[in-house]
């Protein structure tokens, strides 16, 4: 038998059962019913009007489908016979469900941690509820209960499975946690609720940020600990992900100072020098301590502004310039140059001439300088013979404030030009009759007749003089030494040679082009020096009216010269007499009328001795005559000279030195 009893049936409810059939009668017929032992039912035996007995099942205790959805009982029918007989029947009682149980979650609070970098659609958590009811009463659906828009926008829940998934990416820095209620509803209208707390876990997905509060990118040099920048750093991450460290490159003259938490000041470590480095590129690096580490870099360009701390410096401490004499006025002779390592107006250099140490030097009239480029100019023609070198100082001054300056020495050397012809000092060419050189006819080849002395106002090779015989009365008789101007006899003199000779000597320098001068020498060949020889003037002078003072001077000079001449002749005569006596004793005589030979050097080189000599010129009415007298150096004669010795040395009498 099958009974369907609702679980809400109240105890005492009677459920009639099918009655058993017993063919016996009387006491052997059906007498009673019993049911197997249980806690919910008992059975009653009822009599019908026709005398048959039927069972009734009485509910003793309320049924609960959730505890026991069905009961299986055994109904036994007993007769009254002996022995008694029984019959059984199975009674299946199905407890009919009612919606008497609300859904229940396994946990009232679900807590979960979700990484903020979880992808969209990833499972956050699955909630689970159960309902003891059956059928539609036990079918559950899940939903958010009165959730905020933030939750609905980020999460979604599967109504059947209770799985909560991400609808979009989480952001720890935006919302760090979510809290929501989930409702489970059955088919009968009952529901249960639970709470889900979601903690967003931070990942290092944010690089540090740098916020500049103050930036001073133009720093003057020579200023210690100047503030370059003030900035703050931040990282929206948490934990180690939000911890930061700040740094700049090594080997830079800058320091980072932590002022307050996460605020730094960038200052110069010391005084900067623009001349060493005018610009710095500083990279501020902020790094967090997350994994992986993220960093932010900020570049700053610092310009070092100039201070006038460097004086102009010349490229050389001294300059040597060369200029050839006879230059054209305003000639550019050279330049000086100074540089200033500063910048702008501090590096603009102005040149000037400094006052010379010698106050008598007219520097301003000799040299000028271009104030802008340092070019030097000679203002007038320079003369080597008058000014061979010029020294002065130039200054270089910048335009800074205060202005700085420096000095350099400039030495201008005037180069010689061949602008001076040789000048003959001897024989003197003064427009009067030339001096006459006396040469004994007994002179040997190489005899020194005279020496042309000349000078050249130039220098170097421009002053190297050479001599040559330009003209001669009798070529081949005299020669001129090219380097010293000595006029010497070239061969022995003979009686056939003319007594009077005129020599023109050319004196030439070694310049380019060479310059020259000529001098005329008059040579008189004499047999001896015992009588005066008056050379005739080559041209008679035009008579002129003599000035009285000139006449007096001529008379006085003639008197003095005559007295001096007489003294010399007397002295020579005395010496000749002594010489004659000495020669007669030794068996050697000097030819009469021949000029004393000890006054002439005809041996060896034929040069005059290094002693001094006198030159006397006599002037008279008939013309101008010149005599040359040589003051002898008295030799030390040996006590006695034999004739044999004289024969062995026939030139002994002619080899005494004189001056």
């Amino acid at each position: 038998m099958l009974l369907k009893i609702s679980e809400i049936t109240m105890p005492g409810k009677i459920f009639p059962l099918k009655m058993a059939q017993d063919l016996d009668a009387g006491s052997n017929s059906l007498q009673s019913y019993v049911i197997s032992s249980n806690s919910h039912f008992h059975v009653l035996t009822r009599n019908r009007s026709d005398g048959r007995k039927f069972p009734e099942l009485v509910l003793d205790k309320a049924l609960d489908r959730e505890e026991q959805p069905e009961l299986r009982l055994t109904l036994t029918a007993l007769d009254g016979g002996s022995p008694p007989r029984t019959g059984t029947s199975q009674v299946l009682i199905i407890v009919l469900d009612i919606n008497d149980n609300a859904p229940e979650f396994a946990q009232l609070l679900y807590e979960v941690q979700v990484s903020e970098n979880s992808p969209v659609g990833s499972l956050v958590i699955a909630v689970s509820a159960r309902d003891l009811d059956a059928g539609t009463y036990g079918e559950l659906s899940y939903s958010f209960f009165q959730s905020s828009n933030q939750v609905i926008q980020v999460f979604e829940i599967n109504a059947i499975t209770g799985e909560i998934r991400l609808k979009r990416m989480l952001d720890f820095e935006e919302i760090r946690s979510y809290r929501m209620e989930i409702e489970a509803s059955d088919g009968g209208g009952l529901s249960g609720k639970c709470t889900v707390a979601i903690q967003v876990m931070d990942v290092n997905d944010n690089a540090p940020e740098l916020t500049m509060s103050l930036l001073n990118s133009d720093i003057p040099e020579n200023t210690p600990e100047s503030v370059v920048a003030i900035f703050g750093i931040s990282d929206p991450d948490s934990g180690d992900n939000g911890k930061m460290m700040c740094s700049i490159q090594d080997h830079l003259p800058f320091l980072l100072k932590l002022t307050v938490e996460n605020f730094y000041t960038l200052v110069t470590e010391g005084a900067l020098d623009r001349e060493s480095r005018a610009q710095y590129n500083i990279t501020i690096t902020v790094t967090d301590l997350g994994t992986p580490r993220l960093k932010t870099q900020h570049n700053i360009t610092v310009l070092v502004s100039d201070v006038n701390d460097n004086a102009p410096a010349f490229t050389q401490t001294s300059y040597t310039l060369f200029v050839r004499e006879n230059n054209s006025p305003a000639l550019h002779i050279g330049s000086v140059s100074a540089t200033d390592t500063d910048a702008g107006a501090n590096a603009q250099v102005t040149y000037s001439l400094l006052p010379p140490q010698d106050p008598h030097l007219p520097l301003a009239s000799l040299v000028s300088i271009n104030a802008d480029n340092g070019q030097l100019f000679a203002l007038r023609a320079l003369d080597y013979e008058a000014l061979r070198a010029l020294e002065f100082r130039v200054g270089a001054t910048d335009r800074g404030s205060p202005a700085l300056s420096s000095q350099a020495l400039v030495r201008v050397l005037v180069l010689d030009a061949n602008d001076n012809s040789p000048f003959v000092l001897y024989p003197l060419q003064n427009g009067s009759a030339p001096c006459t050189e006396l040469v004994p006819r007994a002179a040997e080849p190489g005899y020194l007749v005279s020496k042309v002395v000349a000078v050249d106002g130039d220098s170097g090779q421009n002053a190297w003089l050479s001599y040559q015989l330009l003209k001669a009365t009798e070529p081949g008789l005299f020669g001129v030494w090219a380097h010293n101007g000595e006029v010497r006899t070239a061969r022995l003199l003979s009686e056939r040679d003319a007594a009077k000779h005129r020599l023109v000597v050319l004196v030439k320098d070694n310049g380019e082009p060479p310059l020259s001068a000529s001098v005329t020498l008059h040579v008189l060949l004499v047999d001896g020096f015992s009588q005066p020889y008056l050379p005739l003037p080559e041209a008679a002078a035009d008579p002129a009216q003599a000035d009285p003072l000139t006449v007096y001077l001529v008379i006085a000079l003639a008197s003095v010269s005559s007295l001096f001449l007489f003294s010399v002749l007397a002295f020579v005569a005395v010496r000749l007499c002594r010489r004659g006596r000495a020669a007669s004793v030794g068996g050697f005589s000097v030819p009469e009328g021949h000029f004393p030979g000890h006054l002439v050097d005809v041996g060896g080189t034929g040069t005059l001795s290094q002693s001094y000599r006198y030159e006397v010129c006599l002037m008279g009415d008939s013309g101008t005559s010149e005599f040359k007298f040589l003051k002898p150096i008295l030799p030390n004669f040996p006590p006695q000279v034999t004739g044999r010795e004289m024969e062995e040395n026939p030139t002994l009498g002619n080899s005494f030195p004189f001056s």
Side-chain angles (χ1 to χ4, degrees):
M1 288 181 292
L2 177 62
L3 293 178
K4 293 182 180 181
I5 303 173
S6 175
E7 61 180 335
I8 63 172
T9 301
M10 299 300 293
K13 179 72 174 176
I14 297 174
F15 300 94
L17 300 177
K18 292 180 179 181
M19 62 181 180
Q21 298 294 327
D22 191 345
L23 299 179
D24 293 328
S27 60
N28 292 326
S29 62
L30 178 66
Q31 297 296 318
S32 63
Y33 295 89
V34 296
I35 197 159
S36 59
S37 176
N38 64 90
S39 60
H40 292 280
F41 295 94
H42 71 274
V43 68
L44 294 177
T45 303
R46 298 289 186 179
N47 294 319
R48 295 183 62 177
S49 58
D50 58 359
R52 289 184 298 174
K53 298 182 185 299
F54 64 93
E56 288 181 342
L57 188 63
V58 180
L59 179 64
D60 295 328
K61 181 181 178 182
L63 298 174
D64 188 354
R65 194 205 65 81
E66 289 72 29
E67 291 183 4
Q68 193 171 5
E70 64 180 26
L71 286 84
R72 291 183 179 273
L73 303 177
T74 302
L75 180 63
T76 303
L78 299 173
D79 61 12
S82 181
R85 293 184 179 273
T86 61
T88 61
S89 175
Q90 295 293 325
V91 178
L92 177 60
I93 300 173
I94 296 177
V95 182
L96 299 178
D97 185 38
I98 63 172
N99 193 22
D100 59 346
N101 289 282
E104 294 181 359
F105 284 93
Q107 299 175 228
L108 293 178
L109 176 63
Y110 290 86
E111 294 181 333
V112 63
Q113 294 179 339
V114 181
S115 176
E116 65 173 327
N117 63 348
S118 298
V120 174
S122 60
L123 177 64
V124 176
I125 193 173
V127 295
S128 176
R130 68 172 184 169
D131 194 322
L132 298 180
D133 296 322
T136 58
Y137 300 136
E139 295 178 357
L140 301 180
S141 64
Y142 300 92
S143 64
F144 294 118
F145 179 75
Q146 298 181 353
S147 296
S148 64
N149 290 332
Q150 292 178 339
V151 172
I152 296 174
Q153 291 174 359
V154 176
F155 301 96
E156 62 182 0
I157 188 170
N158 189 311
I160 298 175
T161 62
E163 293 179 347
I164 300 175
R165 296 181 180 272
L166 290 177
K167 290 174 64 177
R168 66 178 181 87
M169 293 291 294
L170 299 175
D171 188 355
F172 173 84
E173 291 71 37
E174 182 179 350
I175 299 176
R176 299 192 174 189
S177 64
Y178 295 88
R179 195 175 185 87
M180 63 196 77
E181 288 189 353
I182 306 299
E183 181 182 50
S185 300
D186 60 18
L190 299 180
S191 64
K193 298 178 181 64
C194 72
T195 301
V196 176
I198 299 175
Q199 184 71 32
V200 181
M201 299 301 296
D202 183 42
V203 295
N204 196 25
D205 59 343
N206 291 280
E209 297 176 357
L210 186 148
T211 304
M212 191 65 63
S213 301
L214 173 67
L215 177 60
N216 184 13
S217 59
D218 196 355
I219 303 298
E221 62 177 335
N222 302 333
T223 304
E225 293 193 4
S226 298
V227 176
V228 178
I230 299 176
F231 60 92
I233 58 175
S234 61
D235 192 323
D237 294 324
S238 64
D240 289 341
N241 297 333
K243 294 179 180 180
M244 297 162 290
M245 57 183 182
C246 188
S247 64
I248 60 175
Q249 309 102 296
D250 296 332
H251 312 299
L252 288 181
F254 296 91
L255 291 176
L256 279 176
K257 291 185 176 181
L258 181 63
T259 52
V260 294
E261 185 179 4
N262 293 336
F263 277 89
Y264 289 85
T265 302
L266 178 65
V267 298
T268 58
E269 186 175 8
L272 302 179
D273 185 6
R274 192 204 65 82
E275 289 70 37
S276 299
R277 188 167 177 179
Q279 177 178 315
Y280 293 90
N281 292 319
I282 305 173
T283 301
I284 303 175
T285 302
V286 184
T287 306
D288 62 24
L289 301 181
T291 303
R293 293 191 175 188
L294 301 179
K295 65 180 180 180
T296 296
Q297 291 184 331
H298 189 87
N299 295 320
I300 297 176
T301 299
V302 176
L303 301 177
V304 183
S305 59
D306 186 49
V307 173
N308 193 26
D309 58 345
N310 291 279
F314 282 94
T315 56
Q316 301 173 220
T317 56
S318 63
Y319 294 82
T320 301
L321 307 178
F322 299 91
V323 58
R324 193 166 296 278
E325 64 174 332
N326 305 324
N327 58 284
S328 59
L331 175 68
H332 177 224
I333 60 176
S335 300
V336 296
S337 177
T339 57
D340 195 317
T341 54
D342 293 322
N346 297 333
Q348 296 178 4
V349 179
T350 301
Y351 300 91
S352 62
L353 295 177
L354 300 181
Q357 296 180 350
D358 184 4
H360 301 291
L361 178 64
L363 181 62
S365 63
L366 295 174
V367 179
S368 69
I369 189 169
N370 188 312
D372 295 327
N373 55 27
Q375 292 182 347
L376 290 165
F377 299 89
L379 296 179
R380 66 185 187 188
L382 301 178
D383 185 4
Y384 172 83
E385 289 71 35
L387 182 66
R388 297 193 175 189
L390 175 63
E391 272 192 6
F392 56 92
R393 289 189 172 273
V394 295
T397 306
D398 60 27
R399 297 184 181 178
S401 180
L404 302 178
S405 62
S406 62
Q407 300 179 8
L409 177 66
V410 177
R411 183 180 295 105
V412 178
L413 300 180
V414 182
L415 300 179
D416 183 42
N418 194 26
D419 58 345
N420 290 281
S421 299
F423 178 76
V424 179
L425 297 177
Y426 181 84
L428 185 62
Q429 307 291 300
N430 55 5
S432 63
C435 293
T436 301
E437 303 290 344
L438 301 180
V439 178
R441 288 186 179 272
E444 293 186 356
Y447 174 80
L448 178 62
V449 177
S450 181
K451 183 173 182 178
V452 177
V453 180
V455 294
D456 194 313
D458 297 320
S459 66
Q461 68 177 14
N462 294 331
W464 297 352
L465 301 180
S466 61
Y467 305 83
Q468 68 183 69
L469 185 60
L470 189 61
K471 292 181 181 180
T473 304
E474 187 174 343
L477 181 57
F478 298 97
V480 178
W481 285 26
H483 299 296
N484 56 17
E486 293 179 351
V487 181
R488 295 179 181 270
T489 57
R491 59 176 174 81
L492 287 172
L493 304 177
S494 66
E495 296 295 334
R496 294 190 300 271
D497 293 329
K500 192 170 64 171
H501 294 265
R502 179 176 178 271
L503 306 178
V504 178
V505 178
L506 179 69
V507 184
K508 183 173 65 173
D509 61 25
N510 197 39
E512 186 63 37
L515 301 178
S516 62
S518 62
V519 60
T520 302
L521 242 75
H522 290 268
V523 179
L524 184 63
L525 302 183
V526 297
D527 293 331
F529 286 167
S530 60
Q531 56 181 335
Y533 293 86
L534 300 176
L536 297 176
E538 293 192 359
D542 295 336
Q545 184 69 30
D547 185 70
L549 181 58
T550 304
V551 174
Y552 295 148
L553 291 176
V554 170
I555 293 173
L557 181 59
S559 300
V560 174
S561 300
S562 300
L563 183 59
F564 176 73
L565 179 61
F566 177 77
S567 300
V568 172
L569 290 176
F571 177 75
V572 172
V574 172
R575 296 299 297 169
L576 288 176
C577 290
R578 291 180 181 177
R579 174 80 178 276
R581 287 197 298 271
S584 62
V585 173
F588 180 81
S589 61
V590 178
E592 193 175 321
H594 195 278
F595 193 83
H598 72 279
L599 294 179
V600 182
D601 181 7
V602 293
T605 62
T607 60
L608 295 176
S609 67
Q610 299 302 316
S611 301
Y612 59 89
R613 62 185 177 178
Y614 295 97
E615 295 178 359
V616 179
C617 295
L618 301 179
M619 301 178 64
D621 294 335
S622 61
T624 301
S625 301
E626 181 179 296
F627 293 90
K628 177 180 290 187
F629 295 92
L630 304 179
K631 177 182 178 181
I633 297 177
L634 299 180
N636 294 325
F637 294 101
Q640 185 176 359
V641 181
T642 64
R644 179 178 178 84
E645 291 173 347
M646 293 295 294
E647 291 177 359
E648 291 177 354
N649 191 4
T651 63
L652 180 61
N654 298 328
S655 62
F656 296 147
F658 59 89
S659 61

